[in-house]
C-alpha cells in the first residue's frame, strides 16, 4: 500500500506542477495585459488633455460670439425694420399652432424681403 500511496502522491504532485505552471503563465499574461491597458489609458488621457488645451489656446470664443452677433445684425434680410421682430415672434410654438404654416411663412417673407425681390437660396 505504501507504493500505491507514493504513486498517487507522485501523480498528484506532477499535476500540481502543471497547474502551477499554467497558473504562472495565466498570471503573467494577465499582468502584462493590465499594464498594456493602463499605459493606453494614460496615453489617451494625456493626448486628450493636450488636444483640449490646444483648441482652447487657439480659439477666443467670446470674441467670436461677439463678432457673430454683429455680423448677424448686418445681414441684408435682418436689417429691414420688423424682420428681426417677426423672426423672434415665430420662434414661439403657439404661433405655429394657431396659424397655418403657409400663412406664417408668407408673413415672414413679407417682413424680411421686398415684395418685388425674392429670397435667393445660397
Amino acid at each position: 500500500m505504501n507504493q500505491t500511496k507514493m504513486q498517487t502522491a507522485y501523480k498528484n504532485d506532477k499535476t500540481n506542477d502543471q497547474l502551477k505552471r499554467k497558473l504562472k503563465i495565466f498570471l503573467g499574461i494577465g499582468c502584462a495585459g493590465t499594464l498594456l491597458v493602463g499605459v493606453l489609458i494614460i496615453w489617451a488621457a494625456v493626448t486628450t488633455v493636450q488636444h483640449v488645451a490646444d483648441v482652447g489656446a487657439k480659439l477666443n470664443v467670446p470674441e467670436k460670439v461677439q463678432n457673430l452677433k454683429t455680423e448677424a445684425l448686418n445681414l441684408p434680410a435682418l436689417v429691414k425694420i420688423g424682420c428681426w421682430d417677426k423672426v423672434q415672434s415665430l420662434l414661439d410654438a403657439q404661433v405655429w399652432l394657431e396659424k397655418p404654416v403657409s400663412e406664417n411663412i408668407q408673413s415672414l417673407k413679407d417682413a424680411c424681403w421686398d415684395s418685388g425681390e425674392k429670397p435667393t437660396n445660397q
Side-chain angles (χ1 to χ4, degrees), residues 4-83:
T4 57
K5 286 182 183 180
M6 286 179 68
Q7 285 177 346
T8 55
Y10 178 76
K11 287 180 184 177
N12 285 341
D13 193 36
K14 189 175 185 180
T15 57
N16 284 342
D17 285 342
Q18 288 176 350
L19 181 64
K20 288 177 185 177
R21 183 173 179 258
K22 288 180 182 179
L23 185 61
K24 286 179 184 178
I25 292 171
F26 176 75
L27 290 175
I29 291 172
C31 288
T34 303
L35 182 66
L36 179 66
V37 169
V39 168
L40 287 174
I41 288 172
I42 291 170
W43 173 77
V46 168
T47 304
T48 303
V49 168
Q50 285 177 345
H51 180 70
V52 169
D54 288 344
V55 168
K58 290 179 184 175
L59 293 179
N60 191 353
V61 176
E63 190 174 299
K64 289 195 178 274
V65 169
Q66 188 70 336
N67 290 343
L68 182 63
K69 285 181 182 178
T70 57
E71 289 173 9
L73 292 176
N74 292 332
L75 289 174
L78 299 177
V79 171
K80 287 191 69 173
I81 298 173
C83 179

Side-chain angles (χ1 to χ4, degrees), residues 86-105:
K86 187 64 178 176
V87 169
Q88 287 179 339
S89 70
L90 289 177
L91 291 177
D92 187 21
Q94 187 68 26
V95 175
W96 293 95
L97 294 174
E98 292 173 352
K99 294 182 185 177
V101 174
S102 60
E103 188 176 324
N104 286 328
I105 292 175

